[in-house]
Amino acid sequence: AVVSTQSTGIEGEYAEGCYSSSQFVGWFNGVPEHSDLAPDLSSECAVVIGHGNVALDCARVLVAPLSHLEKTDISDHALEALRTKGVKRVRVFGRRDILQFQGTIKEVRERERER
């Protein structure tokens, strides 16, 4: 699965298996218009393009332990799909460097710790 927070201009960004952040977030939050999204989560590695708060939320959902997600209000269909996921790591790519990252110090530390 590839998740992008906005149009990237990267060739193939609209290919099958690539989703905008609004689609992916809508899917795991149970937004009706995105409930039929069926991301392929069978790959060991997923890619998130963007390094803002929404992008990091997408990455966290993909690698969060099920025991954590079960305590949230994540949609039932997303939780079921994540139960059978193959995703073990997420690569996060941004177009700017860490100095332009828009997030909290805690998120910067989390991002650096994940490297």
Side-chain angles (χ1 to χ4, degrees):
V2 175
V3 180
S4 178
T5 57
Q6 56 187 299
S7 179
T8 61
I10 297 171
E11 185 177 334
E13 74 178 295
Y14 298 108
E16 185 176 338
C18 297
Y19 309 100
S20 71
S21 59
S22 61
Q23 290 173 307
F24 195 71
V25 170
W27 172 74
F28 70 72
N29 279 332
V31 174
E33 67 188 76
H34 299 297
S35 62
D36 62 344
L37 193 72
D40 179 359
L41 304 176
S42 62
S43 175
E44 281 193 19
C45 184
V47 174
V48 174
I49 300 172
H51 53 195
N53 292 333
V54 174
L56 293 181
D57 287 345
C58 292
R60 284 186 194 108
V61 164
L62 287 167
V63 295
L66 288 173
S67 59
H68 170 75
L69 293 175
E70 290 167 343
K71 298 174 189 171
T72 70
D73 59 356
I74 191 168
S75 67
D76 291 338
H77 62 264
L79 187 59
E80 193 56 39
L82 290 163
R83 283 186 198 289
T84 61
K85 71 179 180 186
V87 178
K88 296 187 181 358
R89 66 183 185 281
V90 175
R91 299 287 185 212
V92 178
F93 294 94
R95 293 183 292 183
R96 298 180 187 101
D97 96 10
I98 194 70
L99 297 176
Q100 285 81 40
F101 173 72
Q102 295 180 355
T104 66
I105 293 296
K106 180 182 177 191
E107 289 169 324
V108 171
R109 287 186 185 127
E110 286 176 2
R111 182 169 180 244
E112 288 303 307
R113 189 172 41 246
E114 293 169 359
R115 288 182 142 189

